[in-house]
Each structure stands twice: as C-alpha cells, then as structure tokens.
Amino acid sequence: MADDQATLSLGGKDQGFPVRHGSVGPDVIDIRKLYAQTGAFTYDPGFTSTAACESAITYIDGDEGILLHRGYPIDQLAEKSTFMEVSYLLLNGELPSKGELERFTYTISRHTMLHEQLSTFYRGFRRDAHPMAIMCGVVGALSAFYHDSTDITDPQQRMIASHRLIAKMPTIAAMAYKYSIGQPFVYPQNSLTYTGNFLRMTFGVPAEPYEVNPVVEQAMRTIFILHADHEQNASTSTVRLAGSSGANPFACIAAGIACLWGPAHGGANEAALNMLREIGRPERIPEFIARAKDKDDPFRLMGFGHRVYKNYDPRAKVMQKIAEQVLGELGVDDPVFDVARELEQIALHDDYFIEKKLYPNVDFYSGVVLSAIGFPTSMFTALFALARTVGWVAQWNEMISDPEQKIGRPRQLYTGATQRDYVPVEQR
Ligand code: ACO
C-alpha cells in the first residue's frame, strides 16, 4: 500500500517517492526508482536504515524489546510451544492443527538420516576442526547428494529441501561433535523428540542406553525456539542474497552458516562464555567494564549490545531463567554464572551502557547453559546454526515466492583511482 509520498530535493529538483506502511513498525520509503529518476544512490553501509525486502515472518521492536514470530510473542512460544510447532509456524504462517503438527513432525523425522557416504566427509577433516567449519562444508555438500530437491522453481522440491535441512541439521551438528572427540557417530532415533534425538546423538554412545533428561530436553527445546528466527539479521540476509541468484537451498544455508560464525553474530555466545571465564571472579568485573568503555581498547562486553534491540533482548530474559533451571537441575555450581549475573547488574547501572542502550542479548546467558549441559564452547555456534536453519529456510522460501524478488546487487560510493593508462612494468 503506498498512499504517501516522500520528497527528495536534489540538484534543484523535487522528486517524489512512495512511502509504504507495514502492518506494524516504521514506514519505508520506496526508493527503487531513485537511481533512474536522479542518477544518485543511497549510502547505507551496514544497512542501518535499509529494508532489503518485504517479509511477514518476524517482527522486532528494538526499542520496546519485542520479538514476534508470525505475530506470536517469543516468550509465549518459548513457554508453551515445541520447536516443531514453531518451525511449522515460521514456514507456513499459522500454528498447526493437531493433525498438521503430527504430519509435520512425522515428515521431519523421516529425513533425519544423512546419506551414508556423507560420513566419509567428516573423516577428511582434522579432529580439531571447528564444528562450524565442518557445518559449512557438510551442509554445502548436501547439494551434491540431494539433487531431487534443488530445483528452486518447484515449490514441492523447495519444501522437501526445507524439511531435509531442518531434519538433518541436528544429525550434522551431533556428528561434528562426535568426530571431534573420536566417538562413533550415533544414528538418529525417530521415536524421540527433535531435541531428545539431538541430545542422544550428541551425548549417547552405542555401548549404553541413553536417557534423555527432561529438564535438559526442555531447556534445549527453548534454546532452539529462541534462536529459530530473527528477521533480517546478517546470516539471514546472507541466505537471501545467496538465494537471490538462484543458488540451491543447501548452498544458501551453507552461506548463512559462514556468516553466523563471526563473533559479532552467532560466534558471540562462544566469545561471551570465554570472556566470563577470563573474568573468572566478580572482583575483576570493574577492570573489564573499564576496558569495554575505553575507546582505545578494542575489547567489548560480549553478549551485550544489539543492532536492533535498544532494550533488554526478550530472548535474554528467557535464557536467564533457563540458566537457573538447568544449573539447579544438574547441580552445577558454576562461578561463571555468578560473574554473569553480577556483570549484568553492574553494566545495567553504568552510565556508559545506559546512554548507549546496551543490554544483554540472547548470547549472554546461553553459553552458561550450554556449558552446564556439557557442550564445549566450540559447539555453541553450531547449535545456533542448527536452530536458525528453520528461520533461514522460511525466509528463503518467502523470498523465492515473492514476485518482486530480484538478484541482490548493491552499488557503491567509488573512491578509487579514476581512469588512467597502463604503464609497462619497466617504466614504473
Ligand atoms: N561493549 C562495549 N561497548 C559497546 C558494545 C559492547 N558490547 N556494543 C556496542 N558498544 C558501543 C560501541 O563502542 C559504540 O560506541 P560509540 O558510539 O562511542 O562508538 C556504540 O556502542 C554503538 O556500537 P556499534 O558497534 O556502532 O553498534 P552496532 O549496532 O554496529 O553493533 C553489535 C551491534 C555488533 C551486536 C555490538 O553491540 C557488539 O559488538 N556486541 C558484542 C558482540 C555480541 O554480543 N554480538 C551478538 C549480537 S546478537 C546475535 O547475533 C544473536
């Protein structure tokens, strides 16, 4: 809907651009014809003021600390639903009926195994390879194994590829872990829940039965829900950009995994726990707070701050509760949790953090929980990738079905040399 106009004055001429209104959230100025009408580009590195697409999946109000998936608040989904239900919701737009949920869960469970030949891929990696390096490689390689779901013009194939990715990701992540510790791969067991199956493939061994701890299962389920989607973040935008060229879904998700790996994005949960461990005890917190505030020190409080949230990340609130539950259940007395709680309190009352609106994000407490469950820090981002896959495929499907979709091709402000003649090497 475009009923308003924004006027831009450039070179003495006024140009009108339609203003579009979403169902909620800021308006957008549709500048698609800007270059054709004025010969100018916009300049927005980091896309702080750019809506790159239209989407009906996830809404964030960063000032209020609100996160909605298809309209449903994240805290309600985290408390009341299952990961399969949230996956269905993200992919299909509505919560499933009982029958729809059963069928969806059954379908996902039928795709949990990996092509057996893929296990030989793992053996090509060093044992100390980072799980994210393995995830990028193996997920990209899926396109070499599942040719029957790479025709992106066929909605049925797109859906099968989406189901495969959601179903196989726990198997792929668990195998990366097993490989790193030299234990045999554990095949999926489809009678378990999505999360229970993942825990068994990760921590079970063929020599013994594995009992899923319901508190841990519930915590993992909630962690997966909290990470399932987050609007047009860096990795999702990467998936969309890769997909905009018509690349197959497995390649696009591998691109998303690569982007997620960075410490400013998914890698922050690993970095946050490493930081808390480095701080070690509450007495050292002021030293680290001072470093975070020092302009000449590149150190930042990991797990703090967010491009969109200028308020408490609603996922961090849920995560803090889970940390208490899991540590209580497992009887873990981790000093790192005390450091985290105290650091949070100090930062929340410090002028620097208040002025810059820096609050804990989802990664601040997730490392504490994952570590208590038994995951090494190197697995944290792989777990994030596992959960975010559903968001990536939902966003990718939405993009492919969008009749206005075009290849993503940003322009630039060129500041390099202007045209000049080649000089032979002897004369330089
Ligand atoms: N510690 C100390 N200062 C910070 C922090 C932090 N964690 N985050 C931002 N700032 C300061 C910056 O130095 C900057 O100060 P200045 O205006 O005086 O230069 C100001 O706050 C704004 O920071 P930007 O980097 O411009 O904000 P941006 O929106 O680009 O960055 C980001 C957001 C990357 C998340 C940043 O807050 C950060 O690096 N946080 C730590 C890493 C982290 O936890 N990432 C996880 C994000 S959530 C997720 O991916 C799931």
Side-chain angles (χ1 to χ4, degrees), residues 30 82 84 88-89 94 114 135 225 234 246-247 272-273 301 310 315 326 370 384:
D30 182 346
T82 63
M84 283 297 92
Y88 184 98
L89 174 70
E94 294 297 335
L114 275 192
M135 301 283 283
I225 292 175
L273 189 73
L301 275 196
K310 301 302 169 198
R315 302 167 301 171
V326 169
L370 296 173
F384 190 163

Side-chain angles (χ1 to χ4, degrees), residues 67-110:
L67 168 60
L68 310 175
H69 291 318
R70 303 282 192 187
Y72 297 101
I74 189 66
D75 49 322
Q76 291 184 25
L77 293 172
E79 193 191 327
K80 297 178 180 163
S81 66
T82 63
F83 186 65
M84 283 297 92
E85 205 176 11
V86 172
S87 300
Y88 184 98
L89 174 70
L90 289 170
L91 277 174
N92 299 294
E94 294 297 335
L95 284 170
S97 67
K98 201 163 171 286
E100 284 166 338
L101 182 59
E102 274 167 18
R103 277 193 297 283
F104 180 72
T105 307
Y106 177 79
T107 305
I108 296 295
S109 74
R110 294 291 114 181

Side-chain angles (χ1 to χ4, degrees), residues 4 12 42 81 105 129-130 137 154 183 197 208 218 235 266 273 279 294 384:
D4 298 331
T42 55
S81 66
T105 307
H130 195 286
D154 178 350
Q183 286 187 358
N197 187 29
E208 288 171 13
Q218 172 94 342
S235 56
L273 189 73
I279 298 175
D294 181 354
F384 190 163

Side-chain angles (χ1 to χ4, degrees), residues 219-230:
M220 274 319 288
R221 187 216 64 170
T222 313
I223 291 171
F224 286 169
I225 292 175
L226 294 180
H227 287 88
D229 191 47
H230 211 227

Side-chain angles (χ1 to χ4, degrees), residues 122 127 131 134 171-183 185 198 201-203 374-376 378-379:
Y122 285 78
R127 293 273 176 194
I134 298 182
T171 316
I172 293 170
M175 284 170 73
Y177 173 66
K178 285 298 194 199
Y179 185 71
S180 73
I181 56 169
Q183 286 187 358
F185 299 139
F198 172 64
M201 288 190 289
T202 306
F203 297 119
F375 291 101
S378 61
M379 274 300 287

